[in-house]
Amino acid sequence: MNSPAILNTMLERLERHRQFDAEDRTAVLALPYTVRKLRPHEHLIREGEPAENSCLLRSGFLCRHKIIAAGHRQIVSVHMAGDMVNMQNSLLKTADHNVQALTEAEVVLISGRAIIELATARPNVAIAMWLDTLIDGSIFREWIANVGRRDARSKTAHILCEFALRQERAGLAARSRYDLPMTQEQLGDALGLTPVHVNRTLKALEQAGLISRNRRSVTISDWDALRVAGDFDPAYLYLELAEGERSLVA
């Protein structure tokens, strides 16, 4: 028998976007689900496969990526514990990209049909899920700008700032120090750089006194300078919605 407590993280995330009543909360916690564990590099879903489930990431890190004809990979987003992943699978029935584990991970799979039924029955929940996907879209747009128009130093500093704030918001780490869940090759695939260029750029940020590293651990030594170097404005993350904004839609 499924435990409603498994979905508490999903409920907390959705309630950041929208005020729920007791019936809304009960409906979210009553969603049917299955739990799956992933090993590092294991695919949750591959491009072209039937897409039947959305998922809540309970622990670990996932990435979404595309593979082009030449075999090169472009990572288009990184997800961390507490994120809703592939909400679009409730309506789009074929995966148009890959979702792969960066680390050991545990996901809660919820059928697309159950998501649609919940959204239809509970408008408040539907608006919260819609807002969650809109914020995903905002992050995608920033990543496009980052890859396409910032130089190596700026784009690397930018992604380090983003990971810091998102992990802090998720309660996974402090803004000033966190574990980076990506190899230099994976960072290169997210930033459009070679692993050698990533390594050189990280070293330059260290030498400038902006960060320090110990294996996968990143310490931000000068937040303001790193933010300026990365042209980083966190508005696109919508980390905090004011109470009035959460109830704008009647």
Side-chain angles (χ1 to χ4, degrees), residues 135-206:
I135 293 169
D136 261 357
S138 175
I139 295 173
F140 286 149
R141 289 187 288 276
E142 189 68 24
W143 276 49
I144 290 169
N146 201 42
V147 172
R149 289 299 177 185
R150 293 189 178 104
D151 62 24
R153 185 175 188 268
S154 293
K155 67 177 67 176
T156 303
H158 191 280
I159 202 170
L160 293 176
C161 288
E162 178 181 309
F163 286 164
L165 287 192
R166 288 177 61 197
Q167 290 202 54
E168 180 182 61
R169 183 66 179 86
L172 301 174
R175 178 189 307 189
S176 59
R177 186 178 183 277
Y178 61 90
D179 288 337
L180 186 64
M182 304 173 78
T183 65
Q184 291 183 9
E185 179 181 3
Q186 290 163 342
L187 273 174
D189 287 346
L191 297 173
L193 301 172
T194 66
V196 171
H197 204 166
V198 169
N199 184 52
R200 187 184 306 127
T201 304
L202 289 170
K203 285 183 177 179
L205 291 172
E206 283 189 284

Side-chain angles (χ1 to χ4, degrees), residues 43-64:
H43 280 79
L44 177 62
I45 192 167
R46 294 179 185 271
E47 184 173 357
E49 291 182 348
E52 300 176 350
N53 298 306
S54 298
C55 85
L56 165 69
L57 180 54
R58 288 198 75 206
S59 64
F61 293 82
L62 304 178
C63 70
R64 302 196 220 187

Side-chain angles (χ1 to χ4, degrees), residues 34 45 50-55 85-87 89-90 109-112:
T34 58
I45 192 167
E52 300 176 350
N53 298 306
S54 298
C55 85
V85 185
N86 281 353
M87 191 75 79
N89 287 355
S90 58
L109 301 176
I110 305 166
S111 77

